[in-house]
Amino acid sequence: MCLEDEVNLRWLDEKKPITRWLARLILPVEKISKETLFDCRMCGQCILHSTGMTCPMRCPKNLRNGPCGGVRPNGNCEVFADKPCVWVQGIERAPRLPLWQEDIHHLQPPVNWRLQGTSSWINLFTGRDAIRPRGWENANEPQTNSDQHG
Amino acid sequence: MSFVATRTQRPLRSDSRLERVLRAGLFAVTAELNPPDSADPQEVYDAALPLSEVTDALNATDASGANVHMSSLGLCAVLINAGYDVILQMSCRDRNRIALQGDLLGAAALGVRNVLAITGDDVGAGDQPEAKRVFDFDSMHLLRTMRTLRDDGVFLSGRKLTRPPHLFLGAVENPFAPPLHWRPHRLAKKIEAGADFIQTQFVFDIEIFRNFMARVRDLGLHERVYILAGVGPLKSPKGAEFMRTRVPGVVIPDAIVERLKKTPRERWRDEGMQICVELIQQVREIPGIAGIHVMAYRQEETVAEIIQRAGLFPRLTKPTASQS
Ligand code: SF4
């Protein structure tokens, strides 16, 4: 259950046919370009700019907030011993970005699996990628016991 | 004592022994209890007995190494009946957010007061590597969600609980896994997500650990969270070799392995314990360390002697570093 009414409709209205048409056009473009460039997994809620342009969904544990404790001493992945940990790469690359260097320290919300396979560019403009579970937003104010959403 | 004082202002999160010990500024000792491959509660009591007097709380591991055993929740329920303070480990590997939140309430109803959120070793590490990985949440998501249930009294969805759980929330950190310089920042994220206490991976490389803690203190993190350093005895040179090559995230310096190799076979056990005791004494001197977490897989019988030799028995002593 999400706060559908909190959706900030930015440039696109999710419900309008034009959005669906645009999505149909843009999806293959996004898919091909991002899969080629970033080995993107099309989670539909892109945080590449927060992770040094390294797709965190390539992590076999789907980690969105940094590496696990199993990274090998040579920097390779716990699960795929012959591949570098995507988070080790991301943390290395983040400071080289022109902007957003600090974003890697931000706490990323849980993945919305309903967006899997959709265009993150369209989701950005409809605001769909910014929908958080209601309880997640509440927790942004620590130490409060407010139930205003109840 | 300042790092104790700043945190004692807050009301108690739970009424767990672990929290009370830490809040009182006493040096905490927790230990890992490995669950039996059995349906018999007696085996749980037998495994816990050697740890009972020398620890403040026992960790009930959640299929660690991705090997199935009695569930951590079942283990906790059995131990609570016998009067132990338990730390329920919850891994993100096997359950999605629906199961995790439900188990959390169930655990609280059974009397669990400490919970430890972990990502979990990959299924590939265990004896059933063909299993499906879940990883719906990462450990930060789990921490934040547990805090939401506790502090906001709602599920992640926003739906209200009639009675929130009282929990002391834990997380883990591995100061020895790359990228080393980022580990303190990951710790900061875990604190932001809701961690009240931290248990670390095995400390064998004291230099790396000292550097990690220095950074933690620079960032002021030791004042926001209780850090328990992970320690444990090595059984044999072969055992040490196995741990550092096969157990994800464990780093053991060559010097320690060499020291064991030079020891005659009949003294391995004793030397392994001695190394552990020395490490405990060294971590105790590090400012910002609030306790230790002993992991003695299949050597639970050594824990009491280690605690005694390290001068931590009888329990409830002050941490050396914070006395000054
Ligand atoms: S080592 Fe890195 S890529 Fe591999 S599971 Fe852990 S965080 Fe993910």
mmCIF file with all atom_site columns, all heavy atoms in Angstrom, chain A residues 2-21:
data_model
loop_
_atom_site.group_PDB
_atom_site.id
_atom_site.type_symbol
_atom_site.label_atom_id
_atom_site.label_alt_id
_atom_site.label_comp_id
_atom_site.label_asym_id
_atom_site.label_entity_id
_atom_site.label_seq_id
_atom_site.pdbx_PDB_ins_code
_atom_site.Cartn_x
_atom_site.Cartn_y
_atom_site.Cartn_z
_atom_site.occupancy
_atom_site.B_iso_or_equiv
_atom_site.pdbx_formal_charge
_atom_site.auth_seq_id
_atom_site.auth_comp_id
_atom_site.auth_asym_id
_atom_site.auth_atom_id
_atom_site.pdbx_PDB_model_num
ATOM 1   N N   . CYS A 1 2  ? 0.747  2.080  -0.978  1.00 0.00 ? 2  CYS A N   1
ATOM 2   C CA  . CYS A 1 2  ? 1.573  3.275  -1.053  1.00 0.00 ? 2  CYS A CA  1
ATOM 3   C C   . CYS A 1 2  ? 0.692  4.517  -1.050  1.00 0.00 ? 2  CYS A C   1
ATOM 4   O O   . CYS A 1 2  ? -0.510 4.452  -1.228  1.00 0.00 ? 2  CYS A O   1
ATOM 5   C CB  . CYS A 1 2  ? 2.419  3.275  -2.311  1.00 0.00 ? 2  CYS A CB  1
ATOM 6   S SG  . CYS A 1 2  ? 3.697  2.034  -2.269  1.00 0.00 ? 2  CYS A SG  1
ATOM 7   N N   . LEU A 1 3  ? 1.320  5.602  -0.849  1.00 0.00 ? 3  LEU A N   1
ATOM 8   C CA  . LEU A 1 3  ? 0.614  6.873  -0.811  1.00 0.00 ? 3  LEU A CA  1
ATOM 9   C C   . LEU A 1 3  ? 0.386  7.401  -2.222  1.00 0.00 ? 3  LEU A C   1
ATOM 10  O O   . LEU A 1 3  ? 1.068  8.304  -2.676  1.00 0.00 ? 3  LEU A O   1
ATOM 11  C CB  . LEU A 1 3  ? 1.453  7.889  -0.044  1.00 0.00 ? 3  LEU A CB  1
ATOM 12  C CG  . LEU A 1 3  ? 1.019  8.247  1.367   1.00 0.00 ? 3  LEU A CG  1
ATOM 13  C CD1 . LEU A 1 3  ? 1.674  9.538  1.770   1.00 0.00 ? 3  LEU A CD1 1
ATOM 14  C CD2 . LEU A 1 3  ? -0.487 8.351  1.486   1.00 0.00 ? 3  LEU A CD2 1
ATOM 15  N N   . GLU A 1 4  ? -0.581 6.826  -2.912  1.00 0.00 ? 4  GLU A N   1
ATOM 16  C CA  . GLU A 1 4  ? -0.777 7.208  -4.308  1.00 0.00 ? 4  GLU A CA  1
ATOM 17  C C   . GLU A 1 4  ? -1.077 8.703  -4.436  1.00 0.00 ? 4  GLU A C   1
ATOM 18  O O   . GLU A 1 4  ? -0.689 9.343  -5.395  1.00 0.00 ? 4  GLU A O   1
ATOM 19  C CB  . GLU A 1 4  ? -1.919 6.406  -4.948  1.00 0.00 ? 4  GLU A CB  1
ATOM 20  C CG  . GLU A 1 4  ? -1.785 4.888  -4.845  1.00 0.00 ? 4  GLU A CG  1
ATOM 21  C CD  . GLU A 1 4  ? -0.762 4.299  -5.801  1.00 0.00 ? 4  GLU A CD  1
ATOM 22  O OE1 . GLU A 1 4  ? -0.273 5.068  -6.654  1.00 0.00 ? 4  GLU A OE1 1
ATOM 23  O OE2 . GLU A 1 4  ? -0.461 3.108  -5.682  1.00 0.00 ? 4  GLU A OE2 1
ATOM 24  N N   . ASP A 1 5  ? -1.763 9.254  -3.426  1.00 0.00 ? 5  ASP A N   1
ATOM 25  C CA  . ASP A 1 5  ? -2.168 10.652 -3.556  1.00 0.00 ? 5  ASP A CA  1
ATOM 26  C C   . ASP A 1 5  ? -1.006 11.622 -3.316  1.00 0.00 ? 5  ASP A C   1
ATOM 27  O O   . ASP A 1 5  ? -1.142 12.813 -3.493  1.00 0.00 ? 5  ASP A O   1
ATOM 28  C CB  . ASP A 1 5  ? -3.336 10.972 -2.608  1.00 0.00 ? 5  ASP A CB  1
ATOM 29  C CG  . ASP A 1 5  ? -3.064 10.517 -1.206  1.00 0.00 ? 5  ASP A CG  1
ATOM 30  O OD1 . ASP A 1 5  ? -1.976 9.941  -0.960  1.00 0.00 ? 5  ASP A OD1 1
ATOM 31  O OD2 . ASP A 1 5  ? -3.909 10.746 -0.334  1.00 0.00 ? 5  ASP A OD2 1
ATOM 32  N N   . GLU A 1 6  ? 0.137  11.088 -2.881  1.00 0.00 ? 6  GLU A N   1
ATOM 33  C CA  . GLU A 1 6  ? 1.275  11.973 -2.670  1.00 0.00 ? 6  GLU A CA  1
ATOM 34  C C   . GLU A 1 6  ? 2.126  12.102 -3.923  1.00 0.00 ? 6  GLU A C   1
ATOM 35  O O   . GLU A 1 6  ? 3.135  12.779 -3.925  1.00 0.00 ? 6  GLU A O   1
ATOM 36  C CB  . GLU A 1 6  ? 2.146  11.448 -1.528  1.00 0.00 ? 6  GLU A CB  1
ATOM 37  C CG  . GLU A 1 6  ? 1.888  12.184 -0.232  1.00 0.00 ? 6  GLU A CG  1
ATOM 38  C CD  . GLU A 1 6  ? 2.887  11.813 0.834   1.00 0.00 ? 6  GLU A CD  1
ATOM 39  O OE1 . GLU A 1 6  ? 3.958  11.278 0.491   1.00 0.00 ? 6  GLU A OE1 1
ATOM 40  O OE2 . GLU A 1 6  ? 2.571  12.046 2.007   1.00 0.00 ? 6  GLU A OE2 1
ATOM 41  N N   . VAL A 1 7  ? 1.721  11.411 -4.978  1.00 0.00 ? 7  VAL A N   1
ATOM 42  C CA  . VAL A 1 7  ? 2.511  11.428 -6.202  1.00 0.00 ? 7  VAL A CA  1
ATOM 43  C C   . VAL A 1 7  ? 2.607  12.853 -6.717  1.00 0.00 ? 7  VAL A C   1
ATOM 44  O O   . VAL A 1 7  ? 1.607  13.539 -6.884  1.00 0.00 ? 7  VAL A O   1
ATOM 45  C CB  . VAL A 1 7  ? 1.852  10.560 -7.293  1.00 0.00 ? 7  VAL A CB  1
ATOM 46  C CG1 . VAL A 1 7  ? 2.702  10.579 -8.551  1.00 0.00 ? 7  VAL A CG1 1
ATOM 47  C CG2 . VAL A 1 7  ? 1.639  9.162  -6.795  1.00 0.00 ? 7  VAL A CG2 1
ATOM 48  N N   . ASN A 1 8  ? 3.841  13.271 -6.912  1.00 0.00 ? 8  ASN A N   1
ATOM 49  C CA  . ASN A 1 8  ? 4.051  14.579 -7.488  1.00 0.00 ? 8  ASN A CA  1
ATOM 50  C C   . ASN A 1 8  ? 4.030  14.463 -8.995  1.00 0.00 ? 8  ASN A C   1
ATOM 51  O O   . ASN A 1 8  ? 5.016  14.073 -9.602  1.00 0.00 ? 8  ASN A O   1
ATOM 52  C CB  . ASN A 1 8  ? 5.428  15.085 -7.070  1.00 0.00 ? 8  ASN A CB  1
ATOM 53  C CG  . ASN A 1 8  ? 5.298  16.230 -6.118  1.00 0.00 ? 8  ASN A CG  1
ATOM 54  O OD1 . ASN A 1 8  ? 4.339  17.009 -6.223  1.00 0.00 ? 8  ASN A OD1 1
ATOM 55  N ND2 . ASN A 1 8  ? 6.234  16.345 -5.201  1.00 0.00 ? 8  ASN A ND2 1
ATOM 56  N N   . LEU A 1 9  ? 2.940  14.750 -9.614  1.00 0.00 ? 9  LEU A N   1
ATOM 57  C CA  . LEU A 1 9  ? 2.902  14.652 -11.072 1.00 0.00 ? 9  LEU A CA  1
ATOM 58  C C   . LEU A 1 9  ? 3.797  15.748 -11.601 1.00 0.00 ? 9  LEU A C   1
ATOM 59  O O   . LEU A 1 9  ? 3.528  16.925 -11.398 1.00 0.00 ? 9  LEU A O   1
ATOM 60  C CB  . LEU A 1 9  ? 1.470  14.821 -11.584 1.00 0.00 ? 9  LEU A CB  1
ATOM 61  C CG  . LEU A 1 9  ? 0.511  13.753 -11.115 1.00 0.00 ? 9  LEU A CG  1
ATOM 62  C CD1 . LEU A 1 9  ? -0.857 13.945 -11.751 1.00 0.00 ? 9  LEU A CD1 1
ATOM 63  C CD2 . LEU A 1 9  ? 1.033  12.365 -11.447 1.00 0.00 ? 9  LEU A CD2 1
ATOM 64  N N   . ARG A 1 10 ? 4.868  15.335 -12.227 1.00 0.00 ? 10 ARG A N   1
ATOM 65  C CA  . ARG A 1 10 ? 5.795  16.357 -12.682 1.00 0.00 ? 10 ARG A CA  1
ATOM 66  C C   . ARG A 1 10 ? 5.408  16.782 -14.097 1.00 0.00 ? 10 ARG A C   1
ATOM 67  O O   . ARG A 1 10 ? 4.521  17.575 -14.274 1.00 0.00 ? 10 ARG A O   1
ATOM 68  C CB  . ARG A 1 10 ? 7.225  15.840 -12.587 1.00 0.00 ? 10 ARG A CB  1
ATOM 69  C CG  . ARG A 1 10 ? 7.563  15.592 -11.117 1.00 0.00 ? 10 ARG A CG  1
ATOM 70  C CD  . ARG A 1 10 ? 8.920  15.030 -10.939 1.00 0.00 ? 10 ARG A CD  1
ATOM 71  N NE  . ARG A 1 10 ? 9.063  14.485 -9.595  1.00 0.00 ? 10 ARG A NE  1
ATOM 72  C CZ  . ARG A 1 10 ? 10.113 13.797 -9.191  1.00 0.00 ? 10 ARG A CZ  1
ATOM 73  N NH1 . ARG A 1 10 ? 11.110 13.579 -10.020 1.00 0.00 ? 10 ARG A NH1 1
ATOM 74  N NH2 . ARG A 1 10 ? 10.173 13.332 -7.986  1.00 0.00 ? 10 ARG A NH2 1
ATOM 75  N N   . TRP A 1 11 ? 5.989  16.164 -15.090 1.00 0.00 ? 11 TRP A N   1
ATOM 76  C CA  . TRP A 1 11 ? 5.671  16.599 -16.436 1.00 0.00 ? 11 TRP A CA  1
ATOM 77  C C   . TRP A 1 11 ? 4.643  15.708 -17.105 1.00 0.00 ? 11 TRP A C   1
ATOM 78  O O   . TRP A 1 11 ? 4.018  16.101 -18.075 1.00 0.00 ? 11 TRP A O   1
ATOM 79  C CB  . TRP A 1 11 ? 6.946  16.603 -17.308 1.00 0.00 ? 11 TRP A CB  1
ATOM 80  C CG  . TRP A 1 11 ? 7.974  17.560 -16.809 1.00 0.00 ? 11 TRP A CG  1
ATOM 81  C CD1 . TRP A 1 11 ? 7.849  18.412 -15.757 1.00 0.00 ? 11 TRP A CD1 1
ATOM 82  C CD2 . TRP A 1 11 ? 9.267  17.760 -17.343 1.00 0.00 ? 11 TRP A CD2 1
ATOM 83  N NE1 . TRP A 1 11 ? 8.986  19.129 -15.589 1.00 0.00 ? 11 TRP A NE1 1
ATOM 84  C CE2 . TRP A 1 11 ? 9.891  18.756 -16.559 1.00 0.00 ? 11 TRP A CE2 1
ATOM 85  C CE3 . TRP A 1 11 ? 9.970  17.208 -18.418 1.00 0.00 ? 11 TRP A CE3 1
ATOM 86  C CZ2 . TRP A 1 11 ? 11.173 19.196 -16.807 1.00 0.00 ? 11 TRP A CZ2 1
ATOM 87  C CZ3 . TRP A 1 11 ? 11.250 17.650 -18.655 1.00 0.00 ? 11 TRP A CZ3 1
ATOM 88  C CH2 . TRP A 1 11 ? 11.848 18.634 -17.858 1.00 0.00 ? 11 TRP A CH2 1
ATOM 89  N N   . LEU A 1 12 ? 4.520  14.514 -16.598 1.00 0.00 ? 12 LEU A N   1
ATOM 90  C CA  . LEU A 1 12 ? 3.644  13.553 -17.257 1.00 0.00 ? 12 LEU A CA  1
ATOM 91  C C   . LEU A 1 12 ? 2.584  13.051 -16.294 1.00 0.00 ? 12 LEU A C   1
ATOM 92  O O   . LEU A 1 12 ? 2.841  12.892 -15.107 1.00 0.00 ? 12 LEU A O   1
ATOM 93  C CB  . LEU A 1 12 ? 4.455  12.347 -17.762 1.00 0.00 ? 12 LEU A CB  1
ATOM 94  C CG  . LEU A 1 12 ? 5.421  12.592 -18.929 1.00 0.00 ? 12 LEU A CG  1
ATOM 95  C CD1 . LEU A 1 12 ? 6.248  11.356 -19.184 1.00 0.00 ? 12 LEU A CD1 1
ATOM 96  C CD2 . LEU A 1 12 ? 4.645  12.977 -20.185 1.00 0.00 ? 12 LEU A CD2 1
ATOM 97  N N   . ASP A 1 13 ? 1.400  12.806 -16.850 1.00 0.00 ? 13 ASP A N   1
ATOM 98  C CA  . ASP A 1 13 ? 0.337  12.201 -16.068 1.00 0.00 ? 13 ASP A CA  1
ATOM 99  C C   . ASP A 1 13 ? 0.306  10.716 -16.411 1.00 0.00 ? 13 ASP A C   1
ATOM 100 O O   . ASP A 1 13 ? 0.099  10.339 -17.566 1.00 0.00 ? 13 ASP A O   1
ATOM 101 C CB  . ASP A 1 13 ? -1.000 12.868 -16.414 1.00 0.00 ? 13 ASP A CB  1
ATOM 102 C CG  . ASP A 1 13 ? -2.118 12.332 -15.539 1.00 0.00 ? 13 ASP A CG  1
ATOM 103 O OD1 . ASP A 1 13 ? -1.969 11.213 -14.999 1.00 0.00 ? 13 ASP A OD1 1
ATOM 104 O OD2 . ASP A 1 13 ? -3.137 13.032 -15.408 1.00 0.00 ? 13 ASP A OD2 1
ATOM 105 N N   . GLU A 1 14 ? 0.519  9.928  -15.379 1.00 0.00 ? 14 GLU A N   1
ATOM 106 C CA  . GLU A 1 14 ? 0.629  8.485  -15.568 1.00 0.00 ? 14 GLU A CA  1
ATOM 107 C C   . GLU A 1 14 ? -0.585 7.902  -16.279 1.00 0.00 ? 14 GLU A C   1
ATOM 108 O O   . GLU A 1 14 ? -0.473 6.930  -17.022 1.00 0.00 ? 14 GLU A O   1
ATOM 109 C CB  . GLU A 1 14 ? 0.742  7.874  -14.171 1.00 0.00 ? 14 GLU A CB  1
ATOM 110 C CG  . GLU A 1 14 ? 1.365  6.524  -14.119 1.00 0.00 ? 14 GLU A CG  1
ATOM 111 C CD  . GLU A 1 14 ? 1.217  5.962  -12.723 1.00 0.00 ? 14 GLU A CD  1
ATOM 112 O OE1 . GLU A 1 14 ? 1.589  6.652  -11.752 1.00 0.00 ? 14 GLU A OE1 1
ATOM 113 O OE2 . GLU A 1 14 ? 0.700  4.846  -12.623 1.00 0.00 ? 14 GLU A OE2 1
ATOM 114 N N   . LYS A 1 15 ? -1.748 8.507  -16.036 1.00 0.00 ? 15 LYS A N   1
ATOM 115 C CA  . LYS A 1 15 ? -2.979 7.894  -16.525 1.00 0.00 ? 15 LYS A CA  1
ATOM 116 C C   . LYS A 1 15 ? -3.315 8.295  -17.957 1.00 0.00 ? 15 LYS A C   1
ATOM 117 O O   . LYS A 1 15 ? -4.180 7.714  -18.581 1.00 0.00 ? 15 LYS A O   1
ATOM 118 C CB  . LYS A 1 15 ? -4.127 8.258  -15.579 1.00 0.00 ? 15 LYS A CB  1
ATOM 119 C CG  . LYS A 1 15 ? -3.857 7.693  -14.199 1.00 0.00 ? 15 LYS A CG  1
ATOM 120 C CD  . LYS A 1 15 ? -5.035 7.762  -13.267 1.00 0.00 ? 15 LYS A CD  1
ATOM 121 C CE  . LYS A 1 15 ? -4.658 7.129  -11.940 1.00 0.00 ? 15 LYS A CE  1
ATOM 122 N NZ  . LYS A 1 15 ? -3.700 7.962  -11.152 1.00 0.00 ? 15 LYS A NZ  1
ATOM 123 N N   . LYS A 1 16 ? -2.644 9.315  -18.475 1.00 0.00 ? 16 LYS A N   1
ATOM 124 C CA  . LYS A 1 16 ? -2.986 9.797  -19.821 1.00 0.00 ? 16 LYS A CA  1
ATOM 125 C C   . LYS A 1 16 ? -2.417 8.869  -20.886 1.00 0.00 ? 16 LYS A C   1
ATOM 126 O O   . LYS A 1 16 ? -1.310 8.346  -20.737 1.00 0.00 ? 16 LYS A O   1
ATOM 127 C CB  . LYS A 1 16 ? -2.446 11.213 -20.013 1.00 0.00 ? 16 LYS A CB  1
ATOM 128 C CG  . LYS A 1 16 ? -3.247 12.238 -19.251 1.00 0.00 ? 16 LYS A CG  1
ATOM 129 C CD  . LYS A 1 16 ? -3.131 13.617 -19.868 1.00 0.00 ? 16 LYS A CD  1
ATOM 130 C CE  . LYS A 1 16 ? -4.069 14.588 -19.183 1.00 0.00 ? 16 LYS A CE  1
ATOM 131 N NZ  . LYS A 1 16 ? -3.389 15.832 -18.806 1.00 0.00 ? 16 LYS A NZ  1
ATOM 132 N N   . PRO A 1 17 ? -3.144 8.689  -21.987 1.00 0.00 ? 17 PRO A N   1
ATOM 133 C CA  . PRO A 1 17 ? -2.667 7.786  -23.057 1.00 0.00 ? 17 PRO A CA  1
ATOM 134 C C   . PRO A 1 17 ? -1.319 8.220  -23.616 1.00 0.00 ? 17 PRO A C   1
ATOM 135 O O   . PRO A 1 17 ? -0.484 7.368  -23.930 1.00 0.00 ? 17 PRO A O   1
ATOM 136 C CB  . PRO A 1 17 ? -3.747 7.907  -24.138 1.00 0.00 ? 17 PRO A CB  1
ATOM 137 C CG  . PRO A 1 17 ? -4.933 8.494  -23.470 1.00 0.00 ? 17 PRO A CG  1
ATOM 138 C CD  . PRO A 1 17 ? -4.461 9.254  -22.280 1.00 0.00 ? 17 PRO A CD  1
ATOM 139 N N   . ILE A 1 18 ? -1.072 9.536  -23.656 1.00 0.00 ? 18 ILE A N   1
ATOM 140 C CA  . ILE A 1 18 ? 0.187  10.026 -24.213 1.00 0.00 ? 18 ILE A CA  1
ATOM 141 C C   . ILE A 1 18 ? 1.383  9.448  -23.441 1.00 0.00 ? 18 ILE A C   1
ATOM 142 O O   . ILE A 1 18 ? 2.413  9.101  -24.016 1.00 0.00 ? 18 ILE A O   1
ATOM 143 C CB  . ILE A 1 18 ? 0.226  11.584 -24.209 1.00 0.00 ? 18 ILE A CB  1
ATOM 144 C CG1 . ILE A 1 18 ? 1.589  12.142 -24.648 1.00 0.00 ? 18 ILE A CG1 1
ATOM 145 C CG2 . ILE A 1 18 ? -0.100 12.158 -22.863 1.00 0.00 ? 18 ILE A CG2 1
ATOM 146 C CD1 . ILE A 1 18 ? 1.753  12.306 -26.110 1.00 0.00 ? 18 ILE A CD1 1
ATOM 147 N N   . THR A 1 19 ? 1.217  9.291  -22.128 1.00 0.00 ? 19 THR A N   1
ATOM 148 C CA  . THR A 1 19 ? 2.295  8.730  -21.301 1.00 0.00 ? 19 THR A CA  1
ATOM 149 C C   . THR A 1 19 ? 2.576  7.292  -21.706 1.00 0.00 ? 19 THR A C   1
ATOM 150 O O   . THR A 1 19 ? 3.719  6.860  -21.805 1.00 0.00 ? 19 THR A O   1
ATOM 151 C CB  . THR A 1 19 ? 1.908  8.800  -19.815 1.00 0.00 ? 19 THR A CB  1
ATOM 152 O OG1 . THR A 1 19 ? 1.499  10.135 -19.525 1.00 0.00 ? 19 THR A OG1 1
ATOM 153 C CG2 . THR A 1 19 ? 3.067  8.436  -18.920 1.00 0.00 ? 19 THR A CG2 1
ATOM 154 N N   . ARG A 1 20 ? 1.482  6.555  -21.953 1.00 0.00 ? 20 ARG A N   1
ATOM 155 C CA  . ARG A 1 20 ? 1.657  5.151  -22.357 1.00 0.00 ? 20 ARG A CA  1
ATOM 156 C C   . ARG A 1 20 ? 2.362  5.056  -23.703 1.00 0.00 ? 20 ARG A C   1
ATOM 157 O O   . ARG A 1 20 ? 3.212  4.205  -23.910 1.00 0.00 ? 20 ARG A O   1
ATOM 158 C CB  . ARG A 1 20 ? 0.298  4.453  -22.415 1.00 0.00 ? 20 ARG A CB  1
ATOM 159 C CG  . ARG A 1 20 ? -0.213 4.047  -21.044 1.00 0.00 ? 20 ARG A CG  1
ATOM 160 C CD  . ARG A 1 20 ? -1.196 2.901  -21.138 1.00 0.00 ? 20 ARG A CD  1
ATOM 161 N NE  . ARG A 1 20 ? -2.440 3.283  -21.807 1.00 0.00 ? 20 ARG A NE  1
ATOM 162 C CZ  . ARG A 1 20 ? -3.437 3.909  -21.168 1.00 0.00 ? 20 ARG A CZ  1
ATOM 163 N NH1 . ARG A 1 20 ? -3.336 4.214  -19.895 1.00 0.00 ? 20 ARG A NH1 1
ATOM 164 N NH2 . ARG A 1 20 ? -4.543 4.234  -21.821 1.00 0.00 ? 20 ARG A NH2 1
ATOM 165 N N   . TRP A 1 21 ? 1.989  5.960  -24.597 1.00 0.00 ? 21 TRP A N   1
ATOM 166 C CA  . TRP A 1 21 ? 2.633  5.968  -25.919 1.00 0.00 ? 21 TRP A CA  1
ATOM 167 C C   . TRP A 1 21 ? 4.119  6.296  -25.801 1.00 0.00 ? 21 TRP A C   1
ATOM 168 O O   . TRP A 1 21 ? 4.973  5.639  -26.374 1.00 0.00 ? 21 TRP A O   1
ATOM 169 C CB  . TRP A 1 21 ? 1.952  6.968  -26.851 1.00 0.00 ? 21 TRP A CB  1
ATOM 170 C CG  . TRP A 1 21 ? 0.709  6.401  -27.455 1.00 0.00 ? 21 TRP A CG  1
ATOM 171 C CD1 . TRP A 1 21 ? -0.577 6.716  -27.150 1.00 0.00 ? 21 TRP A CD1 1
ATOM 172 C CD2 . TRP A 1 21 ? 0.649  5.382  -28.467 1.00 0.00 ? 21 TRP A CD2 1
ATOM 173 N NE1 . TRP A 1 21 ? -1.451 5.952  -27.891 1.00 0.00 ? 21 TRP A NE1 1
ATOM 174 C CE2 . TRP A 1 21 ? -0.728 5.122  -28.710 1.00 0.00 ? 21 TRP A CE2 1
ATOM 175 C CE3 . TRP A 1 21 ? 1.617  4.651  -29.164 1.00 0.00 ? 21 TRP A CE3 1
ATOM 176 C CZ2 . TRP A 1 21 ? -1.149 4.171  -29.634 1.00 0.00 ? 21 TRP A CZ2 1
ATOM 177 C CZ3 . TRP A 1 21 ? 1.186  3.709  -30.092 1.00 0.00 ? 21 TRP A CZ3 1
ATOM 178 C CH2 . TRP A 1 21 ? -0.178 3.478  -30.311 1.00 0.00 ? 21 TRP A CH2 1
#
